[in-house]
Amino acid sequence: MSRRLISTGSPFEKTAGYSRAVVDGDFAFVSGTTGFDYATMTLPEGVTAQTQNAFKTIEGVLVEAGFALADLVRATYYITDPKDADAVFAVCGEHLSEIRPACTIVTVAALFKPEMKIEIEVTAKRRSA
């Protein structure tokens, strides 16, 4: 299986020289995904809505690549305020409580734009049939 690049169509992907995801064999590597809502082209204010949007984007990209959320083996969460951790964990639990990938949460000084509160990157491995 050859390497495949997945895009969300954002012009920033070309400008910055990255793909939303790269599929290589049985692995999918999804770039850091913020809470931007591509349907409305907006970024909600709250961390809960941003986290939900990030998962929506991640799941859509995984499906396009031939994977499922259940294929996740690793997740890293970058948050800008440690007080948001409980809200982030609640959303993560909604999506991943049965999957339970290895994960790390890191508090960072800032993300690309000051209104961004979370960024999530994941790795998936296709399960054998």
Side-chain angles (χ1 to χ4, degrees), residues 1-127:
M1 182 177 276
S2 64
R3 184 175 135 149
R4 181 173 161 213
L5 307 179
I6 306 290
S7 174
T8 56
S10 166
F12 190 66
E13 293 171 8
K14 178 77 171 167
T15 302
Y18 80 99
S19 295
R20 173 62 48 209
V22 174
V23 177
D24 193 343
D26 287 334
F27 285 91
F29 304 91
V30 180
S31 294
T33 304
T34 63
F36 194 77
D37 181 341
Y38 291 99
T40 63
M41 300 305 282
T42 61
L43 182 69
E45 187 175 320
V47 72
T48 298
Q50 287 189 24
T51 306
Q52 290 287 7
N53 285 350
F55 272 106
K56 180 180 177 183
T57 300
I58 289 167
E59 187 166 19
V61 167
L62 287 172
V63 168
E64 180 180 342
F67 291 77
L69 209 53
D71 293 325
L72 290 186
V73 294
R74 171 63 116 173
T76 305
Y77 312 105
Y78 302 94
I79 58 174
T80 58
D81 186 341
K83 294 177 192 153
D84 289 338
D86 287 338
V88 169
F89 288 149
V91 176
C92 293
E94 288 176 32
H95 295 274
L96 303 176
S97 65
E98 298 300 316
I99 301 164
R100 297 179 57 195
C103 78
T104 302
I105 188 165
V106 180
T107 302
V108 295
L111 292 171
F112 177 63
K113 294 188 177 193
E115 60 271 20
M116 294 174 171
K117 299 178 182 294
I118 182 151
E119 188 166 338
I120 302 171
E121 64 182 8
V122 300
T123 302
K125 182 178 187 300
R126 194 180 329 271
R127 294 178 183 216

